[in-house]
Amino acid sequence: DNVILTSLDVSTGIVILTLNRPTKLNAFTLEMGEKLIEFFEAANGDDRIKSIIVTGAGSAFCAGGDFKELMNPERFKNLEVASPEIGGRIAMSIYRCHKPVIAAINGHAIGMGIVLTLPMHIRIVAEDAKICFAFAKRGLSMEGCSSWFLPRLVGPGKAWQWLFAAPTFLAKEERHSALFNYVVPASEVINTAMALAREISSKSATSVATSSFLIKQGLTSNTPDTMHTIESACFHWMAQRRDFVEGVANFLQNRPSDFQDKVSLVPFGTFSEKQIVPSKL
């Protein structure tokens, strides 16, 4: 059976990616991890994709690492300490994805299950989903780049609370924390995610992608001067695109938008240079 299922609605550009081990509460496996990395690394080059929703099959989102495969101490005896762990590789593939990624957390998300969502742009969660950062219960340290993402989302104080005591809490108990964008009944999770994805997909894909890029750059920038340089380069490039012409036209003509520019052609790597000369697509 496929541990990851993907379906693309070409008319909207929305992909639903489903963790597909429902009889095991979608417990995470190495195969699942490699499939996730493969998908997200390919997504930037697929201009059919405008938004990505990640959810779980059945009643859970992801109950953590599969104990038989991943939680066996024997597995790590001959592993090099410096070798990149699978969770971090997944996190970086999601972080480097320029397409909006929405976590539709339809049920329990424990350990790797909740860590997996941290690099995603938006998290929508079932109000009665159980959440736990379980490292201290298993005698392990943080993984999946969670030491970078979690304190940036919720602040170091809340992150330490969850990591030190490793409580299992219901999502609705932390509805006011910045971990979740929406806390809704389980029956409304996927519909809420779809409505948001449709709204996003109706906008300029290159504008959305550059906003994602710039926020990530801002998170690691030391000064606003640096971001002024990067934003200026990005803004001037975008202002010479077809989508800007279309954005003005659809406003003046009071009609639906018809954005056509492709995210795969945005030169993200050049925006950190002090001077760039925009070129036509």
Side-chain angles (χ1 to χ4, degrees):
D1 293 339
N2 294 324
V3 295
I4 295 291
L5 298 177
T6 58
S7 63
L8 169 64
D9 183 338
V10 178
S11 66
T12 62
I14 299 172
V15 169
I16 297 180
L17 185 156
T18 305
L19 309 179
N20 188 42
R21 300 185 72 212
T23 61
K24 301 293 184 181
L25 300 180
N26 303 316
F28 178 82
T29 65
L30 292 176
E31 180 187 7
M32 185 181 287
E34 295 296 344
K35 293 291 185 182
L36 286 168
I37 293 168
E38 179 182 343
F39 171 82
F40 282 106
E41 287 183 345
N44 279 337
D46 190 341
D47 286 309
R48 298 174 303 167
I49 299 175
K50 294 185 177 180
S51 299
I52 300 164
I53 296 172
V54 180
T55 193
S59 61
F61 179 75
C62 175
D66 184 284
F67 260 71
K68 288 185 178 179
E69 179 180 336
L70 296 179
M71 306 303 284
N72 181 358
E74 294 295 322
R75 171 175 166 262
F76 297 96
K77 281 192 173 180
N78 297 316
L79 195 66
E80 293 184 18
V81 172
S83 62
E85 50 90 15
I86 185 72
R89 291 174 54 219
I90 298 167
M92 292 311 302
S93 71
I94 298 172
Y95 182 73
R96 291 172 180 144
C97 182
H98 298 307
K99 310 298 175 71
V101 183
I102 301 170
I105 307 170
N106 54 300
H108 305 331
I110 307 296
M112 186 60 183
I114 189 63
V115 166
L116 178 65
T117 72
L118 299 182
M120 300 181 189
H121 295 91
I122 296 166
R123 281 160 295 282
I124 300 168
V125 66
E127 59 187 2
D128 291 324
K130 292 180 179 179
I131 310 295
C132 181
F133 294 89
F135 304 111
K137 292 181 177 179
R138 303 291 171 257
L140 288 171
S141 61
M142 300 173 75
E143 63 175 339
C145 304
S146 54
S147 60
W148 195 89
F149 290 107
L150 185 60
R152 281 170 169 78
L153 288 169
V154 303
K158 179 64 75 172
W160 281 324
Q161 174 189 337
W162 289 343
L163 291 162
F164 292 173
T168 298
F169 56 87
L170 298 180
K172 63 185 176 184
E173 296 170 353
E174 292 289 351
R175 67 170 63 247
H176 298 300
S177 78
L179 183 59
F180 307 119
N181 298 79
Y182 300 91
V183 179
V184 299
S187 61
E188 296 179 15
V189 169
I190 196 66
N191 289 337
T192 303
M194 284 295 296
L196 180 59
R198 282 192 292 268
E199 190 69 26
I200 293 170
S201 294
S202 71
K203 307 304 188 294
S204 164
T206 52
S207 180
V208 170
T210 52
S211 292
S212 173
F213 167 80
L214 289 168
I215 291 294
K216 292 172 184 177
Q217 292 292 308
L219 286 171
T220 58
S221 174
N222 292 324
T223 69
D225 289 341
T226 300
M227 288 313 300
H228 183 210
T229 299
I230 298 173
E231 284 182 6
S232 295
C234 188
F235 183 89
H236 293 154
W237 189 89
M238 290 285 291
Q240 295 191 22
R241 302 303 101 195
R242 292 168 299 191
D243 275 7
F244 175 54
V245 175
E246 168 59 21
V248 173
N250 69 51
F251 174 77
L252 294 176
Q253 298 169 20
N254 193 28
R255 60 167 174 78
S257 58
D258 183 26
F259 295 115
Q260 297 292 329
D261 284 344
K262 300 181 184 302
V263 173
S264 63
L265 298 178
V266 179
F268 293 101
T270 69
F271 293 147
S272 60
E273 299 173 8
K274 290 187 179 299
Q275 293 182 344
I276 69 168
V277 179
S279 59
K280 300 294 184 182
L281 289 182

